[in-house]
């Protein structure tokens, strides 16, 4: 689900409150654990006391910063949008506009990406072999409306899909025939027909609405956030490895 800056602030605020509460509870559990470790583990209790002290020092800093989960969600969302846009053969901003519009007709963004990818794949198959699901279209429909394979050759996924629907409409197909040709192109693509009818008028309207509502995130922001996701994953992996190494050192010190 897409969200704007205001919605992100709300999420961060709410999750930070939850984080503070959980850290407070965790600190109480740490104190209890620390006391028991001193009683039950003798000299080993000192190592646990050090860990408990470190955890208590870092807890306020973590709670005062931001919700790690909210940050992770934002980075993963940006990475997903970037990947889906690349799969679709379009830019991230246009993909977000299309995803918002398509969702109004029961097509979620991952399915939209699949439809656009299939459009490119089916066209590529025809360009290479002259056969495949697109053969019927170029034999029966294209000559009637004056389009050729070259008309599609350099188009992006969304533009190719739009020209395909425009051509079907110009050929005067019935609803059942329209559905047949749409589904031959990509599964569930017939759901997008109302969006793409009349040269994509409804798609254009809803895409503009998405921008007006602040749902479409800037391309640079998406790219930078997606890059940060890679950095964050590396940091978390390093932290996990080092914590495991430290824990192993403490445990082996008990022998």
């Amino acid at each position: 689900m897409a969200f704007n800056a205001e919605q992100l602030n709300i999420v961060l605020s709410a999750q930070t409150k939850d984080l503070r509460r959980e850290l407070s509870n965790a600190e109480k559990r740490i104190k209890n654990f620390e006391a028991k470790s001193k009683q039950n583990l003798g000299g080993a209790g000192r190592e646990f006391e050090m860990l408990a002290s470190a955890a208590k020092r870092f807890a306020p800093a973590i709670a005062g910063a931001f919700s790690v989960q909210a940050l992770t969600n934002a980075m993963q969302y940006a990475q997903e949008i970037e990947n889906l846009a690349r799969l679709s053969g379009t830019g991230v901003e246009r993909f977000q506009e299309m995803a918002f519009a398509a969702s109004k007709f029961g097509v979620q963004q991952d399915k939209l990406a699949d439809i656009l990818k299939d459009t490119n794949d089916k066209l590529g198959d025809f360009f290479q072999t002259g056969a495949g699901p697109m053969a019927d279209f170029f034999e029966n429909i294209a000559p009637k409306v004056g389009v050729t394979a070259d008309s599609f050759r350099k188009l992006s996924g969304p533009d190719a899909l739009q020209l395909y629907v425009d051509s079907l409409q110009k050929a005067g197909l019935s609803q059942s025939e329209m559905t047949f040709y749409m589904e031959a192109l990509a599964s569930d693509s017939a759901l997008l027909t109302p969006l793409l009818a009349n040269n994509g008028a409804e798609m254009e309207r809803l895409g503009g609405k998405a921008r007006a509502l602040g749902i479409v995130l800037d391309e640079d922001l998406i790219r930078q956030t997606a890059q940060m996701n890679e950095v964050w994953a590396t940091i978390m992996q390093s932290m996990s490895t080092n914590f495991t190494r430290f824990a192993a050192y403490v445990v082996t010190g008990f022998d």
Side-chain angles (χ1 to χ4, degrees), residues 8-239:
L8 179 58
N9 285 334
I10 292 173
V11 171
L12 288 172
S13 177
Q15 294 198 7
T16 297
K17 290 180 181 179
D18 291 340
L19 183 61
R20 288 179 183 277
R21 183 170 58 253
E22 291 300 322
L23 286 170
S24 177
N25 293 336
E27 186 172 357
K28 292 178 182 178
R29 291 193 295 270
I30 288 171
K31 289 181 179 178
N32 291 335
F33 182 72
E34 181 183 358
K36 290 180 181 179
S37 69
K38 288 179 179 179
Q39 295 174 1
N40 300 332
L41 296 174
R46 180 170 181 78
E47 282 81 1
F48 283 95
E49 183 179 358
M50 292 169 59
L51 287 172
S53 177
K56 285 185 286 186
R57 286 200 307 273
F58 281 112
I62 296 173
F66 46 76
S67 167
V68 171
Q69 187 60 54
L71 175 62
T72 301
N73 289 344
M75 292 188 295
Q76 290 177 345
Y77 172 77
Q79 186 70 67
E80 180 182 16
I81 289 295
E82 190 173 62
N83 290 340
L84 291 177
R86 186 183 303 110
L87 184 69
S88 305
T90 189
V92 295
E93 294 185 26
R94 187 177 185 190
F95 180 78
Q96 289 175 86
E97 292 175 5
M98 294 186 69
F100 174 80
S103 69
K104 303 304 180 183
F105 291 82
V107 178
Q108 300 307 312
Q109 62 186 28
D110 55 343
K111 184 60 182 178
L112 173 63
D114 286 340
I115 290 172
L116 295 175
K117 177 181 179 296
D118 285 347
T119 298
N120 286 329
D121 288 346
K122 299 288 176 58
L123 285 168
D125 184 20
F126 183 82
F127 295 153
Q128 292 295 319
T129 68
M134 292 296 291
D136 284 342
F137 171 82
F138 283 109
E139 180 179 348
N140 302 322
I141 304 299
K144 294 181 180 180
V145 298
V147 298
T148 65
D150 285 338
S151 302
F152 288 85
R153 196 173 295 276
K154 294 184 179 181
L155 297 181
S156 66
D159 289 339
L161 181 59
Q162 184 62 64
L163 179 57
Y164 186 78
V165 173
D166 290 345
S167 299
L168 296 177
Q169 279 198 308
K170 289 178 182 178
L173 300 185
S174 66
Q175 183 61 48
S176 60
E177 290 173 323
M178 179 76 78
T179 299
F180 169 78
Y181 277 100
M182 291 296 289
E183 291 300 305
L185 181 68
S187 177
D188 292 333
S189 63
L191 295 171
L192 298 178
T193 303
L195 274 176
L196 300 171
N198 303 315
N199 200 31
E202 187 65 5
M203 180 73 80
E204 186 70 20
R205 185 187 73 82
L206 289 173
K209 183 177 180 180
R211 282 194 174 276
L213 292 173
I215 291 174
V216 177
L217 299 179
D218 179 80
E219 182 175 0
D220 287 339
L221 178 61
I222 288 286
R223 185 183 67 257
Q224 292 170 10
T225 306
Q227 290 173 347
M228 181 56 68
N229 187 46
E230 298 177 6
V231 174
W232 180 258
T234 302
I235 291 173
M236 294 304 293
Q237 183 178 11
S238 176
M239 290 177 62

